[in-house]
């Protein structure tokens, strides 16, 4: 049984409790982060902590007093649960005001709810999916307009995963005004020659922490990077495609809406970027 963290306490998972009035539960009024663990250490922790603060600020949510200790809580959970490879999920909600009301509660009397738990995933880095690549379909992007805030409002991405499953593929890329925004839980990329193309930052996509690191490593490795939107047709005609996220790192995409991308196998550039990302991130993991 896992040991989890809830509002200042480390508890067995079946003893951790949240109020039925919690605004995360009633209104999806909460934000989250997922940090991966390799070799028992946190990957890109500083980036996730910084984005968490931005998400809280964007929603006018008070920073919980425990903010400066989050790294220690992450490490304590890794240790207590013996995680070598896996993820730490963290969620902060606006708290439980004791009744249901659309108006935000007074931050003096209602303090944020803070929950963290581990997900043990041995073999996360050596994922067989990375050898084979994944297949995606395109779906309409029907999420709200502030996708740059990492809220727990994940119903549409969840429906998108189900649409992919029903189509017999692995994931979905979302399309708005004819252009790909991102994957259901990852950023989307195509490759043409030595150029990596991925959507520019804005409120239409989540600013992936893995995206930032991967683009930095790509530039350092003399690859060209173009931050602009692309269509499904352009992806189908690309040499390679891939996604990035904290839990998949760099994952090759080999098919888009039934059309093979490039040779229909993981591309050389995506494979190399995955290796670089894993190697460099492990070096600076905390
Ligand atoms: N876009 C969306 C919609 C996501 O949910 C995620 C992962 N949570 C990402 C992109 C990738 O972000 P990161 O690299 O920070 O995990």
């Amino acid at each position: 049984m896992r040991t989890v963290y809830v509002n200042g306490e480390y508890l067995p998972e079946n003893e951790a409790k949240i109020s039925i009035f919690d605004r995360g539960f009633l209104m999806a009024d909460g934000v989250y982060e997922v940090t991966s663990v390799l070799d028992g250490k946190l990957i890109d922790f500083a980036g996730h902590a910084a984005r968490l603060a931005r998400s809280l600020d964007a929603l006018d949510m008070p920073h919980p007093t425990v903010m400066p200790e989050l790294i220690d809580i992450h490490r304590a959970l890794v240790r207590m649960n013996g995680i070598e490879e896996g993820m730490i999920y963290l969620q902060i909600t606006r708290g439980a005001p004791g009744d249901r009301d659309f108006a935000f509660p007074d931050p003096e009397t209602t303090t944020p709810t803070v929950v963290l738990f581990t997900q043990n995933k041995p073999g996360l880095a050596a994922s067989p999916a990375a050898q084979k690549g994944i297949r995606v379909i395109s779906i309409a992007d029907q999420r709200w307009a502030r996708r740059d805030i990492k809220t727990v409002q994940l119903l549409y991405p969840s429906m998108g995963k189900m649409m992919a499953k029903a189509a017999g593929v692995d994931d979905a890329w979302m399309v708005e005004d004819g252009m790909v925004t991102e994957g259901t839980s990852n950023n989307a990329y195509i490759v043409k020659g030595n150029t990596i193309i991925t959507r520019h930052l804005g409120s239409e996509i989540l600013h992936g922490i893995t995206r930032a690191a991967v683009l930095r490593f790509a530039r350092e490795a003399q690859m060209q990077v173009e931050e602009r939107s692309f269509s499904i047709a352009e992806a189908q005609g690309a040499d390679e495609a891939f996604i990035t996220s904290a839990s998949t790192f760099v994952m090759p995409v080999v098919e888009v809406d039934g059309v093979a991308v490039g040779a229909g196998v993981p591309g050389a550039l995506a494979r190399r970027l995955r290796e670089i990302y894993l190697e460099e991130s492990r070096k600076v993991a905390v």
Side-chain angles (χ1 to χ4, degrees), residues 48 51 143 150 182 184-187 206 208-210 245-246:
H48 290 286
R51 185 175 60 192
R143 297 173 299 164
K150 197 165 169 64
E182 57 188 332
T184 56
S185 61
N186 42 70
N187 290 115
L206 186 75
I209 301 308
T210 320
S245 75

Side-chain angles (χ1 to χ4, degrees), residues 32-35 44 48 51 143 147 150 154 157 174 182-189 205-212 244-249 277:
Y32 75 109
E33 283 296 330
V34 176
T35 303
D44 278 335
H48 290 286
R51 185 175 60 192
R143 297 173 299 164
R147 301 151 194 163
K150 197 165 169 64
L154 293 175
M174 294 180 282
E182 57 188 332
T184 56
S185 61
N186 42 70
N187 290 115
Y189 306 73
I205 63 167
L206 186 75
H207 301 189
I209 301 308
T210 320
R211 177 189 183 283
T244 65
S245 75
S247 54
T248 61
F249 314 114
Y277 177 77

